[in-house]
Amino acid sequence: MNIWARYKGILYDASLKSDSEVIVRTLIKSESDNSFFIKKYPDGTPCYIKYVPKSELEELYEEEEFGTYKGLEFRIVNESPNTYRLSFDYNDYEKEAKQIELCETSGFVKIDKTIYEKEVLKTEVENYRIERENLLNK
């Protein structure tokens, strides 16, 4: 899940600070100005950060990636050049028993009480898609 904000024509990685304020960040100096502050990552890489009122944003949305594995849909939570990390979490054991069984018989690791994850080759995933939710007017 990624949150993105378009501010002054530039698309930034973002996170919600409050209902009315968003944190925008970039690693590219030219995408920042003097109103951004600098935070350095442990490896010394600078990150340029600014708190922006939602009202000043052109866009604000959250993206989630999905794909079909062995006939069932999973959320994609991470990727490498050749693999996706699939995730499934359930709320109703009886309603989602088929997907839970697939997870348990296909090598998924139970990382929490109701969450399964597995890394698979990208070639094993079909119907890749991205869903976007508008957060600007929420």
Side-chain angles (χ1 to χ4, degrees):
M1 164 175 60
N2 296 311
I3 297 177
W4 301 98
R6 186 170 306 280
Y7 174 65
K8 295 186 177 182
I10 298 172
L11 190 61
Y12 292 96
D13 180 42
S15 54
L16 304 175
K17 185 171 191 282
S18 68
D19 288 342
S20 61
E21 198 169 35
V22 174
I23 302 166
V24 298
R25 65 185 73 75
T26 182
L27 299 177
I28 303 168
K29 184 176 173 61
S30 64
E31 292 181 346
S32 67
D33 58 28
N34 290 338
S35 63
F36 283 68
F37 64 90
I38 301 171
K39 179 177 181 176
K40 292 203 180 216
Y41 287 106
D43 69 357
T45 303
C47 181
Y48 304 91
I49 299 170
K50 181 175 182 170
Y51 301 120
V52 179
K54 261 184 164 180
S55 60
E56 293 182 21
L57 298 175
E58 297 145 31
E59 282 184 285
L60 179 65
Y61 57 90
E62 178 178 54
E63 285 185 340
E64 283 195 272
E65 299 171 275
F66 295 90
T68 304
Y69 175 74
K70 295 190 176 185
L72 295 173
E73 185 171 84
F74 291 89
R75 193 163 37 98
I76 298 169
V77 293
N78 202 348
E79 74 176 284
S80 71
N82 298 316
T83 64
Y84 289 127
R85 177 166 292 282
L86 304 179
S87 181
F88 172 69
D89 59 275
Y90 63 91
N91 296 315
D92 186 329
Y93 185 85
E94 291 180 12
K95 285 172 107 176
E96 299 169 294
K98 183 178 179 182
Q99 196 149 358
I100 293 166
E101 182 181 348
L102 174 67
C103 289
E104 291 176 349
T105 60
S106 298
F108 279 73
V109 176
K110 195 170 192 175
I111 63 164
D112 201 356
K113 185 177 178 181
T114 61
I115 301 173
Y116 291 91
E117 286 191 356
K118 180 179 181 178
E119 197 161 319
V120 300
L121 293 173
K122 286 183 175 181
T123 56
E124 297 178 88
V125 175
E126 300 174 325
N127 305 317
Y128 171 87
R129 74 177 202 291
I130 296 174
E131 283 187 10
R132 189 182 277 187
E133 181 183 358
N134 183 352
L135 302 175
L136 196 55
N137 302 312
K138 281 193 161 193

